[in-house]
Amino acid sequence: MATHEAALLRHEHAVHAPAATGVWSWITTVDHKRIGILYGVTALTFFAVGGIEALIIRLQLARPNSTVVSAETFNALFTMHGTTMVFLAIMPFGSAFFNYMLPLMIGARDVAFPRLNALSYWIFLLGGLFINASFLVGAPPDGGWFGYTSLTLRQYSPGPNIDFWLLGLQILGASSVMAGVNFIATILNMRAPGLTLMRMPVFVWMSLVVQFLIVLAFPPITIGLVFLMFDRFFGTHFYDVAAGGNVLLWQHLFWIFGHPEVYILILPAFGIVSEVLPTFARKPLFGAPVVIYSGILIGFFGFGVWAHHMFAAGMGPVADAAFSIGTMLIAIPTGVKIFNWLATLWGGSIRPTVAFHYAAGLVALFTVGGLSGIMHSSPPVDLQQTDTYFVVAHFHYVLIGGSLFGLLAGAYYWWPKITGRFLDERLGRVQFWLLVAGFNLTFFPQHYLGAIGMPRRIYTYGPGRGWEFWNLMSTVGAFGIGLSVLLFLVNAARSLRHGALAPADPWDGRTLEWRTSSPPPVHNFDAIPPVYGRDTFWREKHGDSRGRKPTPLPPRPDPHGIHMPAPSFWPLVTALGIVITAAGALTHLAVVVLGAVVVLVGGWAFALEHHRNPAHVDQVGNLGVDHRKLAMWTFLGSECFFFGTMIATYLAYKGHDKVGPHPHEILNIPLTTISTFDLLMSSLLMVLALHAVQRGDRRQARMWLFGTAFFGLIFLGFQAWEFTAFVHEGLTLQQNLFGSTFFVLTGFHGGHVALGVAMLLTLGILDLRGKLAVQDAPRVEVVGLYWHFVDVVWIVIFTVVYLIP
């Protein structure tokens, strides 16, 4: 047994070839660990930016009638503070752990799509820089991070401020959805042998729930931003009340995304705490399956409580009651987690490390935020507290007391694994207690300030209202938080230079990441480790509750050898093209065209490079499905929400037109029926193309692939003809509400058809070059799935728009 254990753990101490160094190696990296580090450094940088914005806000509010900043600057500061902390700091801080730890924790060498992972990071970074570039041109977003209409419409916000915000959020949304698809495929399909779903670490489970929340919750906010963009840039009427639109549409779309976003931010912290507490209590997590199921329920219920943010909007008693009950119900699985964590600590042999301090701090402070959240589930109470500082206190107890404390627990816990060195525990304890004191001094008094009537978003106030003292204390506490964060940065810098060296398993860990060296080699594991049960590494070292150790099995060597993807700069080029296109929307059409060309060139090279250098030789994983097919199914699920939201908006607005021709007076149903038949027949050609590739008939494959693309171009030609005819009949984007919904809905579908045609032409060109063999049939099948989805969506659109009067 001892001999086997020595062989099993030998790779922890093996000397591996050093990774490539230099700035260029980081720019071109596709290593999930390096990308995780890039996410972490970028998130901390944006966190510092958002923190400075918060300190200026608190300085302005420290005294009555303060003139530190103007009202306009204050509006920009709180808008960018909220946007930065949610989208550019806390979310990517979680992504840093997803990227670095998930493959290690499931026994994989990398993520499913390393180049897509790199593309996601560069889009995120450039999107964040794009939003903050608004400061450089004197036009920072200033409409609040909720972006409520009509405030954000062109007539009320005529400058480019809101344009920076809405374009930047769309860029960040694309990055998040790409990452979500990638991690879902990775977790479901690349687990080590024996790592069944219920044996996965809780952090992996919470990460999986988060990825599903991302791919399903981002489409509604994307549609909301698209509608706002068209209203501002092209004069449509989605939020124009005078033309029949509804400003509450924005609130619904924003909060359908916004409340799942809360769990996107908090569930990674819950997962981290569920790993940290058992390690430092030296006990298995109490009721681990229950913790997993409660996390799934939180994600599920999170989609059904969005309108508790809208109790003051006048939805009516039925809606208020339904969302009130839903909000109360979602507290149950959250409370279950807290009791399970406490039961884990009970009777444990606790080691009070800094990581443990932060995990325990989350349990205490998040409970405060959760209890104040339950108060908001009551519409009468919520009406008193909404838009006051009570709400500000509530969500900071959730996002700092919850998310940030959990993420800092993860930082102290996994820092030795990532860097190979320890953080200073004494300095860490000082930083922890300073953060606890500063945080509570900042936000607990805000409950009282809100209760006595201080509204949120107020930039100054007069004396004699009873607000002065607690605002001053809140400002003092905010600077305490800032000093604590500074101490963490000092601790991190000292650790990288002078920190004590860490072994492979410094905490006597329970999960697979502790089996490999600190930091891990490029390929993570010399041999993929087998999994014997939950907390498999702990069982190998210490046995189960009766001291029985699992029957030893040798680690599984990779049947194809260790194959890692080559570095690439095309993800950065593609991301640059996207941001150039967004910048062109604010400047000149020529810049838009330039950005689109860069995207096309980068995307084309990206696709060809992936074909030449696949990330993994074996693309079939745990589910018996090719990674690419699993990813496409996941993406199409997100697309269902995208088009579903757009079609639902069309149906909600149907018949609300104030002016213009009746739609069915000008819809050319015979013409559209022909184009619909053409598109449906293209699906048949796609099936024939796939079968031809599968049997190795290159001539037939080429003919059917180009034939499918040709039928797609015919459909686009019909659509262009129809659009031109409508314009001649007087129906335009700006004419009425039907014109707005019709052209945006069918236009986005046409854009999807055009993308499908580009994919088909790429396959056809690969076939012409002799690079589409039988083993590449899954690639054709993935494109076929996309093409069939586009056809099905058109059937729904044709039925709803053309056939139903």
Side-chain angles (χ1 to χ4, degrees):
M1 178 67 74
T3 303
H4 169 72
E5 290 178 353
L8 196 63
L9 303 177
R10 189 179 299 128
H11 65 277
E12 294 178 1
H13 309 286
V15 178
H16 301 287
T21 58
V23 174
W24 186 247
S25 70
W26 286 89
I27 290 175
T28 60
T29 186
V30 295
D31 180 2
H32 73 93
K33 297 179 291 298
R34 283 193 161 196
I35 292 173
I37 293 171
L38 289 172
Y39 264 109
V41 172
T42 307
L44 280 174
T45 303
F46 281 126
F47 185 82
V49 172
I52 292 170
E53 292 163 348
L55 292 179
I56 298 173
I57 290 170
R58 288 311 320 165
L59 278 175
Q60 169 66 18
L61 294 172
R63 292 291 187 186
N65 296 326
S66 180
T67 56
V68 175
V69 295
S70 66
E72 293 78 13
T73 301
F74 188 88
N75 287 343
L77 285 171
F78 81 72
T79 300
M80 284 302 295
H81 168 69
T83 301
T84 299
M85 288 305 196
V86 170
F87 296 103
L88 302 179
I90 302 298
M91 271 189 73
F93 203 169
S95 294
F97 292 122
F98 299 156
N99 275 276
Y100 202 104
M101 303 312 306
L102 285 180
L104 291 167
M105 296 181 82
I106 64 173
R109 299 208 185 280
D110 209 325
V111 293
F113 305 100
R115 293 178 187 84
L116 184 66
N117 201 29
L119 175 61
S120 173
Y121 168 73
W122 291 114
I123 291 176
F124 152 69
L125 172 62
L126 296 177
L129 294 176
F130 175 82
I131 296 179
N132 281 276
S134 59
F135 283 107
L136 301 179
V137 297
D142 55 0
W145 78 273
F146 295 173
Y148 275 5
T149 56
S150 298
L151 182 62
T152 50
L153 296 181
R154 182 70 71 187
Q155 56 266 45
Y156 303 107
S157 297
N161 311 61
I162 300 301
D163 299 330
F164 274 103
W165 183 80
L166 68 89
L167 291 169
L169 287 191
Q170 290 182 76
I171 294 170
L172 296 174
S175 166
S176 297
V177 171
M178 289 179 189
V181 170
N182 194 4
F183 287 127
I184 288 172
T186 300
I187 294 171
L188 293 182
N189 230 28
M190 296 183 66
R191 288 167 280 125
L195 186 59
T196 61
L197 288 176
M198 291 310 295
R199 289 178 175 179
M200 290 196 311
V202 174
F203 177 72
V204 178
W205 259 109
M206 295 304 100
S207 302
L208 181 62
V209 174
V210 166
Q211 308 316 314
F212 275 106
L213 289 175
I214 286 173
V215 299
L216 299 179
F218 267 85
I221 186 62
T222 302
I223 293 299
L225 291 166
V226 165
F227 289 164
L228 181 59
M229 178 180 69
F230 272 83
D231 275 11
R232 289 181 61 86
F233 289 3
F234 305 110
T236 53
H237 305 289
F238 292 104
Y239 305 117
D240 183 358
V241 176
N246 191 339
V247 293
L248 287 183
L249 173 64
W250 168 265
Q251 292 194 34
H252 281 292
L253 294 179
F254 182 86
W255 289 118
I256 287 173
F257 152 79
H259 205 79
E261 172 68 10
V262 173
Y263 301 112
I264 291 170
L265 298 173
I266 194 63
L267 283 177
F270 285 178
I272 291 169
V273 168
S274 298
E275 303 301 329
V276 171
L277 292 181
T279 297
F280 294 115
R282 295 182 63 83
K283 281 179 58 183
L285 179 65
F286 181 84
V290 177
V291 176
I292 291 170
Y293 291 135
S294 68
I296 297 171
L297 284 174
I298 288 172
F300 179 77
F301 284 137
F303 281 99
V305 297
W306 80 86
H308 70 216
H309 296 273
M310 299 172 59
F311 283 150
M315 296 182 298
V318 175
D320 283 359
F323 286 102
S324 176
I325 293 170
T327 305
M328 294 177 186
L329 286 175
I330 204 171
I332 296 173
T334 307
V336 165
K337 286 181 177 291
I338 292 171
F339 283 113
N340 280 74
W341 293 330
L342 295 176
T344 301
L345 298 179
W346 185 266
S349 177
I350 294 175
R351 288 180 293 164
T353 64
V354 177
F356 175 85
H357 276 63
Y358 274 108
L362 178 146
V363 177
L365 296 175
F366 179 80
T367 301
V368 176
L371 291 174
S372 62
I374 288 295
M375 297 171 67
H376 297 144
S377 67
S378 170
V381 175
D382 181 81
L383 286 171
Q384 297 298 315
Q385 296 171 347
T386 192
D387 279 338
T388 71
Y389 258 75
F390 193 98
V391 177
V392 177
H394 157 67
F395 68 70
H396 279 91
Y397 265 87
V398 170
L399 295 185
I400 295 182
S403 297
L404 182 61
F405 270 68
L407 293 169
L408 286 172
Y412 276 91
Y413 182 57
W414 282 311
W415 186 270
K417 178 57 58 180
I418 296 171
T419 67
R421 294 181 181 271
F422 287 102
L423 287 165
D424 187 287
E425 287 281 308
R426 287 190 302 172
L427 187 57
R429 285 189 176 86
V430 173
Q431 186 238 332
F432 168 78
W433 288 112
L434 182 59
L435 182 59
V436 169
F439 167 73
N440 284 288
L441 183 59
T442 302
F443 295 108
F444 199 82
Q446 292 179 7
H447 293 99
Y448 175 70
L449 286 169
I452 63 174
M454 182 174 174
R456 63 194 295 192
R457 308 186 188 94
I458 188 173
Y459 97 99
T460 190
Y461 55 92
R465 297 176 179 267
W467 303 348
E468 296 94 326
F469 177 76
W470 290 117
N471 266 302
L472 179 60
M473 291 298 99
S474 188
T475 299
V476 172
F479 277 87
I481 295 174
L483 180 58
S484 174
V485 174
L486 181 61
L487 283 180
F488 173 77
L489 296 177
V490 170
N491 198 352
R494 287 182 56 188
S495 168
L496 293 176
R497 290 189 169 212
H498 309 296
L501 294 177
D505 183 21
W507 308 125
D508 194 16
R510 313 181 74 87
T511 43
L512 292 180
E513 75 271 23
W514 303 111
R515 293 185 57 129
T516 188
S517 60
S518 298
V522 173
H523 53 278
N524 292 347
F525 302 95
D526 291 341
I528 301 300
V531 174
Y532 307 104
R534 172 168 297 283
D535 296 335
T536 181
F537 191 35
W538 176 270
R539 287 182 178 221
E540 292 174 29
K541 294 182 294 183
H542 304 289
D544 58 18
S545 58
R546 299 181 181 179
R548 297 173 301 186
K549 296 186 178 181
T551 303
L553 293 172
R556 186 184 70 169
D558 195 312
H560 303 284
I562 297 175
H563 176 85
M564 303 304 295
S568 173
F569 61 86
W570 289 114
L572 175 57
V573 172
T574 307
L576 278 171
I578 292 172
V579 175
I580 291 171
T581 304
L586 301 177
T587 54
H588 196 278
L589 180 60
V591 182
V592 174
V593 174
L594 173 63
V597 170
V598 175
V599 171
L600 288 174
V601 172
W604 178 270
F606 188 91
L608 293 182
E609 187 175 60
H610 180 78
H611 182 83
R612 290 192 300 269
N613 302 294
H616 304 280
V617 176
D618 185 6
Q619 293 276 358
V620 178
N622 299 82
L623 301 182
V625 179
D626 187 279
H627 299 337
R628 294 160 292 189
K629 286 175 61 177
L630 180 58
M632 180 55 74
W633 278 115
T634 305
F635 173 69
L636 294 183
S638 181
E639 286 286 276
C640 286
F641 273 61
F642 181 89
F643 278 107
T645 304
M646 204 174 287
I647 292 169
T649 301
Y650 169 81
L651 291 173
Y653 277 169
K654 194 171 183 179
H656 285 207
D657 297 309
K658 303 294 185 182
V659 296
H662 190 278
H664 282 267
E665 293 174 359
I666 57 175
L667 289 176
N668 192 334
I669 296 178
L671 175 71
T672 312
T673 302
I674 295 173
S675 67
T676 301
F677 179 78
D678 163 79
L679 193 62
L680 293 179
M681 287 302 99
S682 71
S683 271
L684 174 61
L685 300 188
M686 188 70 239
V687 172
L688 295 174
L690 175 60
H691 286 300
V693 172
Q694 288 173 334
R695 65 175 181 267
D697 189 337
R698 289 186 54 201
R699 186 182 68 83
Q700 291 263 333
R702 193 179 311 131
M703 179 177 69
W704 297 126
L705 284 172
F706 282 116
T708 307
F710 179 66
F711 273 40
L713 290 173
I714 291 175
F715 175 83
L716 292 175
F718 273 117
Q719 191 171 59
W721 184 8
E722 183 181 42
F723 282 8
T724 304
F726 284 174
V727 171
H728 288 158
E729 293 283 344
L731 181 65
T732 64
L733 272 169
Q734 302 83 11
Q735 177 64 34
N736 56 22
L737 200 55
F738 173 77
S740 299
T741 54
F742 172 82
F743 280 107
V744 171
L745 173 58
T746 57
F748 265 91
H749 178 267
H752 280 69
V753 173
L755 176 60
V757 168
M759 295 162 67
L760 288 163
L761 292 176
T762 301
L763 291 176
I765 292 171
L766 286 173
D767 188 71
L768 287 173
R769 297 171 62 182
K771 295 183 178 180
L772 198 65
V774 175
Q775 62 266 27
D776 296 309
R779 187 185 303 273
V780 181
E781 189 172 1
V782 166
V783 175
L785 287 172
Y786 176 87
W787 192 257
H788 298 321
F789 170 79
V790 169
D791 290 359
V792 170
V793 169
W794 179 252
I795 292 173
V796 177
I797 294 174
F798 178 65
T799 303
V800 168
V801 175
Y802 290 86
L803 300 185
I804 298 178

